[in-house]
């Protein structure tokens, strides 16, 4: 049986058109974009061409886009970049952010900044009243993700952004998981910084981007050359930038179609589970109204996450326990904990995330395999 990959929220296969563009750059261009000769100018044209395509796709100015080494770097650049532009103060984030934000915030706390980690409701959504209550005189930055990588819950970032703007507070949004699923027009959003990553949208690993609204402060993290207008030193990743631009273009253009496909795939999986183990035998974690269509986080009470994952893997099915960083360990997800799920849901949650190449037939097969495994494991207990 061909292996079935249901871990697209961790990383995605590179789209053939992206690979084609990258191959062309890798084999035909090797200049350094900072060099003044023809080779350098050609490289610069490639990087800036990629920047223009991304800016046009996301509705921002080209000079508002900074290429980085991935989503983690983008998050760090935004948070430290905003914080180090001033001295001290209060930052608000949420308990369900990716570790790229949470661990950066812990570091800022060590540096003397004051942090509030907002709780979420049972579906993983930020409650606006809590946010308002947390605001302080010295609050200068809010960081809330657009969509959660473990349960797919989409946050009310427009409302949060408006609150921030009214008070002159900077607003960072981690959109790494949302790009390609949630429409994004940066010029219309009350957002100052937004993080992106190519490998979540069928682009290459190791390249990302940060939107920095014109006028928003940004103290650089990397010191060296004056690349990216002094905001991110280091020779540009030519092939990565070109591939990322193609991936963004495809993701934005194909958004509606992919949304429908993702819903269909989810529907097949859930219908299969209903017919097999029955609706009472599983629980969906996340928000039924505000959620990414390609991420479905399901708990199977009575079956341990790691055991189910291992059994699925033996059947050639790749799923995950949540964020890639924690999936290697048995640690319970900080996101599910923040949602205050019952213990039996916490210990048995699996994230299925679909994408390029998945079929409805695969989803039917997966539901049947889950039925066999769950029935076997439950009897054993
Ligand atoms: C919401 C979110 N933010 C940030 C990251 C980190 O991105 P990268 O893997 O490109 O460093 C991820 C990756 O899982 C993510 O899901």
């Amino acid at each position: 049986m061909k292996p079935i990959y249901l871990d697209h929220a961790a990383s995605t296969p590179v789209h053939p058109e992206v690979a084609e563009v990258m191959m062309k750059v890798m084999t035909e261009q090797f200049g350094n974009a900072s060099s003044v000769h023809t080779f350098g100018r050609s490289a610069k044209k490639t990087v800036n061409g990629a920047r223009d395509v991304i800016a046009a796709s996301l509705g921002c100015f080209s000079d508002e886009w900074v290429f980085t080494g991935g989503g983690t770097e983008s998050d760090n650049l935004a948070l430290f970049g905003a914080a180090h532009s001033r001295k001290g103060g209060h930052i608000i984030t949420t308990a369900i952010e990716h570790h790229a934000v949470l661990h950066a915030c812990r570091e800022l706390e060590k540096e003397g900044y004051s942090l509030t980690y907002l709780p979420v409701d049972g579906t993983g959504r930020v409650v606006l009243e809590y946010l308002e209550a947390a605001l302080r005189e010295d609050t200068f930055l809010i960081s809330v993700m657009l969509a959660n990588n473990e349960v797919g819950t989409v946050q009310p970032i427009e409302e949060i952004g408006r609150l921030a703007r009214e008070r002159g507070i900077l607003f960072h949004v981690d959109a790494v998981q949302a790009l390609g699923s949630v429409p994004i027009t940066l010029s219309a959003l009350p957002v100052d910084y937004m993080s992106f990553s190519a490998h979540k949208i069928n682009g290459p690993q190791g390249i990302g981007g940060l939107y920095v609204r014109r006028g928003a402060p940004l103290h650089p993290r990397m010191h060296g050359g004056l690349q990216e207008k002094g905001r991110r030193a280091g020779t540009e990743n030519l092939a990565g930038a070109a591939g990322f631009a193609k991936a963004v273009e495809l993701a934005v253009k194909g958004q509606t179609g992919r949304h429908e496909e993702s819903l269909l795939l989810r529907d097949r999986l859930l219908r299969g589970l209903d017919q097999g183990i029955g609706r009472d035998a599983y629980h969906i974690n996340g928000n039924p109204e505000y959620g990414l269509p390609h991420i479905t986080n399901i708990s199977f009470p009575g079956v341990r996450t790691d055991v189910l994952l291992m059994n699925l893997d033996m059947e050639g099915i790749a799923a995950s326990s949540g964020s890639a960083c924690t999936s290697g360990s048995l640690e319970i997800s900080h996101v599910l904990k923040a949602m205050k799920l019952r213990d039996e849901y916490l210990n048995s949650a699996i994230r299925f995330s679909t994408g390029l190449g998945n079929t409805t037939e695969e989803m039917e097969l997966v539901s049947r395999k889950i039925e066999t495994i769950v029935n076997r494991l439950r009897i054993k207990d």
Side-chain angles (χ1 to χ4, degrees):
M1 186 185 96
K2 187 171 144 267
I4 300 177
Y5 186 73
L6 297 181
D7 202 10
H8 291 255
S11 200
T12 56
V14 171
H15 193 288
E17 286 183 47
V18 171
E20 199 183 315
V21 166
M22 291 181 71
M23 193 55 142
K24 195 165 156 49
V25 174
M26 281 192 289
T27 50
E28 293 176 13
Q29 279 193 310
F30 50 85
N32 185 319
S34 299
S35 302
V36 289
H37 48 59
T38 316
F39 295 88
R41 285 202 307 275
S42 157
K44 194 168 206 73
K45 202 168 152 209
T46 297
V47 175
N48 285 340
R51 195 188 313 280
D52 291 344
V53 167
I54 294 174
S57 303
L58 300 179
C60 68
F61 294 111
S62 296
D63 61 10
E64 292 178 316
W65 182 264
V66 180
F67 280 113
T68 67
T72 301
E73 189 188 323
S74 301
D75 285 341
N76 276 263
L77 179 58
L79 295 167
F80 286 97
H84 289 171
S85 303
R86 50 174 288 130
K87 273 208 171 74
H90 178 231
I91 302 170
I92 300 176
T93 188
T94 80
I96 55 147
E97 298 301 307
H98 188 271
H99 284 143
V101 166
L102 286 179
H103 291 175
C105 285
R106 294 278 180 226
E107 282 304 308
L108 286 167
E109 251 181 313
K110 286 185 205 158
E111 291 181 13
Y113 294 87
S114 176
L115 261 295
T116 297
Y117 301 89
L118 290 178
V120 290
D121 69 14
T123 72
R125 247 191 154 221
V126 170
V127 182
L128 284 174
E129 291 77 61
Y130 293 164
L131 174 68
E132 281 187 272
L135 289 167
R136 292 184 354 194
E137 272 294 300
D138 62 340
T139 307
F140 69 94
L141 176 65
I142 298 175
S143 179
V144 178
M145 68 201 325
L146 180 43
N148 183 265
N149 48 301
E150 295 192 34
V151 291
T153 302
V154 175
Q155 303 297 342
I157 63 144
E158 290 195 40
E159 288 90 326
I160 298 171
R162 273 198 294 275
L163 271 179
R165 202 148 270 188
E166 280 164 15
R167 291 161 176 82
I169 298 169
L170 295 166
F171 185 32
H172 166 245
V173 174
D174 177 341
V176 166
Q177 209 58 244
L179 179 58
S181 298
V182 180
I184 296 172
T185 306
L186 287 163
S187 61
L189 287 173
V191 168
D192 299 293
Y193 313 94
M194 198 178 265
S195 304
F196 300 93
S197 176
H199 76 105
K200 307 289 184 181
I201 55 162
N202 308 111
Q205 295 182 339
I207 184 155
L210 180 68
Y211 159 76
V212 183
R213 185 186 53 74
R214 278 185 183 170
L218 192 83
H219 189 84
R221 285 290 278 164
M222 303 278 235
H223 301 279
L226 287 177
Q227 290 92 348
E228 301 297 302
K229 296 197 186 302
R231 295 169 295 188
R232 200 272 189 181
T235 300
E236 294 87 344
N237 176 351
L238 270 196
F244 192 6
K246 180 47 96 181
V248 170
E249 214 181 0
L250 292 169
V252 170
K253 275 193 195 143
Q255 198 157 279
T256 313
R258 220 176 28 256
H259 190 94
E260 295 306 314
E261 273 170 37
S262 306
L263 288 178
L264 191 65
L265 293 172
R266 184 206 310 244
D267 181 65
R268 282 302 159 88
L269 174 67
L270 297 182
R271 221 188 312 156
L273 291 179
D274 287 349
Q275 286 162 2
I277 56 176
R279 184 62 191 88
D280 294 340
Y282 69 94
H283 179 264
I284 302 175
N285 307 310
N287 191 297
E289 195 179 344
Y290 304 102
L292 296 179
H294 66 289
I295 295 185
T296 309
N297 191 305
I298 308 179
S299 291
F300 301 92
V303 182
R304 262 183 32 207
T305 300
D306 56 333
V307 179
L308 183 48
L309 279 179
M310 215 158 46
N311 277 271
L312 284 170
D313 189 41
M314 285 190 295
E315 296 286 354
I317 299 163
S320 160
S321 65
S323 82
C325 311
T326 51
S327 57
S329 67
L330 290 181
E331 221 177 278
I332 298 218
S333 140
H334 66 282
V335 175
L336 301 182
K337 268 198 238 168
M339 288 162 63
K340 297 197 169 58
L341 296 185
R342 303 209 309 244
D343 278 354
E344 57 175 349
Y345 294 159
L346 282 181
N347 300 327
S348 63
I350 305 274
R351 177 186 70 186
F352 300 97
S353 51
T354 57
L356 185 67
N358 288 133
T359 63
T360 47
E361 290 74 24
E362 282 181 336
M363 302 315 278
E364 279 159 16
L365 187 62
V366 169
S367 65
R368 285 202 300 276
K369 293 285 183 194
I370 293 175
E371 180 188 352
T372 313
I373 296 168
V374 166
N375 286 338
R376 189 173 65 225
L377 293 173
R378 281 188 180 149
I379 289 169
K380 259 197 196 161
D381 285 353

